[in-house]
mmCIF file with all atom_site columns, all heavy atoms in Angstrom:
data_model
loop_
_atom_site.group_PDB
_atom_site.id
_atom_site.type_symbol
_atom_site.label_atom_id
_atom_site.label_alt_id
_atom_site.label_comp_id
_atom_site.label_asym_id
_atom_site.label_entity_id
_atom_site.label_seq_id
_atom_site.pdbx_PDB_ins_code
_atom_site.Cartn_x
_atom_site.Cartn_y
_atom_site.Cartn_z
_atom_site.occupancy
_atom_site.B_iso_or_equiv
_atom_site.pdbx_formal_charge
_atom_site.auth_seq_id
_atom_site.auth_comp_id
_atom_site.auth_asym_id
_atom_site.auth_atom_id
_atom_site.pdbx_PDB_model_num
ATOM 1  N N   . GLY A 1 89  ? -43.041 -16.673 34.692 1.00 93.00 ? 89  GLY A N   1
ATOM 2  C CA  . GLY A 1 89  ? -43.886 -17.675 35.177 1.00 93.00 ? 89  GLY A CA  1
ATOM 3  C C   . GLY A 1 89  ? -45.124 -17.174 35.889 1.00 93.00 ? 89  GLY A C   1
ATOM 4  O O   . GLY A 1 89  ? -45.685 -18.011 36.673 1.00 93.00 ? 89  GLY A O   1
ATOM 5  N N   . GLU A 1 168 ? -46.911 -9.242  1.872  1.00 95.00 ? 168 GLU A N   1
ATOM 6  C CA  . GLU A 1 168 ? -47.425 -9.032  0.416  1.00 95.00 ? 168 GLU A CA  1
ATOM 7  C C   . GLU A 1 168 ? -46.720 -7.787  -0.113 1.00 95.00 ? 168 GLU A C   1
ATOM 8  O O   . GLU A 1 168 ? -46.339 -7.839  -1.362 1.00 95.00 ? 168 GLU A O   1
ATOM 9  C CB  . GLU A 1 168 ? -48.946 -8.902  0.393  1.00 95.00 ? 168 GLU A CB  1
ATOM 10 C CG  . GLU A 1 168 ? -49.729 -9.942  1.092  1.00 95.00 ? 168 GLU A CG  1
ATOM 11 C CD  . GLU A 1 168 ? -49.428 -11.409 0.610  1.00 95.00 ? 168 GLU A CD  1
ATOM 12 O OE1 . GLU A 1 168 ? -48.911 -11.600 -0.604 1.00 95.00 ? 168 GLU A OE1 1
ATOM 13 O OE2 . GLU A 1 168 ? -49.535 -12.407 1.382  1.00 95.00 ? 168 GLU A OE2 1
ATOM 14 N N   . ARG A 1 178 ? -39.313 2.327   4.215  1.00 92.00 ? 178 ARG A N   1
ATOM 15 C CA  . ARG A 1 178 ? -38.605 3.121   3.212  1.00 92.00 ? 178 ARG A CA  1
ATOM 16 C C   . ARG A 1 178 ? -39.673 3.810   2.210  1.00 92.00 ? 178 ARG A C   1
ATOM 17 O O   . ARG A 1 178 ? -39.454 4.946   1.759  1.00 92.00 ? 178 ARG A O   1
ATOM 18 C CB  . ARG A 1 178 ? -37.607 2.189   2.503  1.00 92.00 ? 178 ARG A CB  1
ATOM 19 C CG  . ARG A 1 178 ? -36.660 2.871   1.453  1.00 92.00 ? 178 ARG A CG  1
ATOM 20 C CD  . ARG A 1 178 ? -36.040 1.758   0.694  1.00 92.00 ? 178 ARG A CD  1
ATOM 21 N NE  . ARG A 1 178 ? -36.919 1.024   -0.134 1.00 92.00 ? 178 ARG A NE  1
ATOM 22 C CZ  . ARG A 1 178 ? -36.666 -0.105  -0.615 1.00 92.00 ? 178 ARG A CZ  1
ATOM 23 N NH1 . ARG A 1 178 ? -35.574 -0.748  -0.281 1.00 92.00 ? 178 ARG A NH1 1
ATOM 24 N NH2 . ARG A 1 178 ? -37.707 -0.790  -1.332 1.00 92.00 ? 178 ARG A NH2 1
ATOM 25 N N   . PRO A 1 297 ? -38.455 -14.772 15.250 1.00 85.00 ? 297 PRO A N   1
ATOM 26 C CA  . PRO A 1 297 ? -37.401 -15.794 15.499 1.00 85.00 ? 297 PRO A CA  1
ATOM 27 C C   . PRO A 1 297 ? -36.361 -15.835 14.335 1.00 85.00 ? 297 PRO A C   1
ATOM 28 O O   . PRO A 1 297 ? -35.426 -16.380 14.440 1.00 85.00 ? 297 PRO A O   1
ATOM 29 C CB  . PRO A 1 297 ? -38.106 -17.092 15.471 1.00 85.00 ? 297 PRO A CB  1
ATOM 30 C CG  . PRO A 1 297 ? -39.517 -16.851 15.321 1.00 85.00 ? 297 PRO A CG  1
ATOM 31 C CD  . PRO A 1 297 ? -39.772 -15.345 15.151 1.00 85.00 ? 297 PRO A CD  1
#
Side-chain angles (χ1 to χ4, degrees):
E168 308 305 333
R178 186 191 62 205

